[in-house]
Amino acid sequence: MEGKGQTMRLTATEVGFFQDYEDEEILEVGVSGIDEAGVQRSFSIQRSTYEPDEQEVQSGMDSYAVSNEQGFTVYGCLRRVHISGSLLTLTFTAEDANILEIPTAVEVDLHDPGVDIPNLSTKLSDILKWGAPEKRPELIGLNASE
């Protein structure tokens, strides 16, 4: 596992969006990239398109979720999401970073010309502003528009 004080750096190879209000009832941003060791890593940031029910609230699933390529999933785990130029920085709580087996900070280089950064910003903002207010991260450099 990575040390807490370190930052994982990824070079994005793919950024995708998924939106399904009828069957899966989910909004999702997927980011895939290669880390400094040449290992393929991925993160799925998603939320439901409906309000959480009482059971989801009681179980802590009343927020967005982040999953990694290993299938580990945590809810309301981000403290800060920052987009500056072509750099996306995800800052996780220490406990959730340990569950995901990553350092608390993940920097994703989005320099790939195929990445629509304004669209990514809007989609992330829409996902991360959902659910329990106390689990929402600080958003820096993301579009405020819905």
Side-chain angles (χ1 to χ4, degrees), residues 2 12 18 22 37 39 56-57 70 73 76 79 91 94 98 104-105 116-117 119-120 131-133 137-139:
E2 315 262 348
F18 179 74
E22 294 184 24
V39 176
E56 289 167 322
V57 170
Q70 297 175 31
T73 301
R79 290 298 139 242
T91 305
N98 284 335
T104 55
D116 181 345
I117 293 175
N119 188 35
L120 172 64
E138 177 183 10
L139 303 178

Side-chain angles (χ1 to χ4, degrees), residues 46 59-66 73-79 93 96 130 135:
Q46 56 188 290
S59 64
M61 298 169 61
D62 57 338
S63 183
Y64 63 89
V66 177
T73 301
V74 288
Y75 289 82
C77 56
L78 292 163
R79 290 298 139 242
T93 65
D96 291 320
W130 181 86
K135 295 179 182 176

Side-chain angles (χ1 to χ4, degrees), residues 2-3 5-13 31-43 87-90 92 102-110:
E2 315 262 348
Q6 298 176 347
T7 299
M8 176 188 290
R9 290 179 178 81
L10 300 178
T11 300
T13 55
V31 177
S32 183
I34 306 293
D35 71 12
E36 294 164 304
V39 176
Q40 182 76 33
R41 306 296 301 251
S42 65
F43 293 93
L87 185 67
L88 168 65
T89 304
L90 306 170
F92 293 85
I102 59 171
T104 55
V106 176
E107 292 180 347
V108 183
D109 178 355
L110 301 168

Side-chain angles (χ1 to χ4, degrees), residues 18-27 49-50:
F18 179 74
Q19 182 172 315
D20 184 346
Y21 284 95
E22 294 184 24
D23 299 325
E24 306 253 349
E25 299 181 328
I26 194 167
L27 300 179
T49 60
Y50 56 86

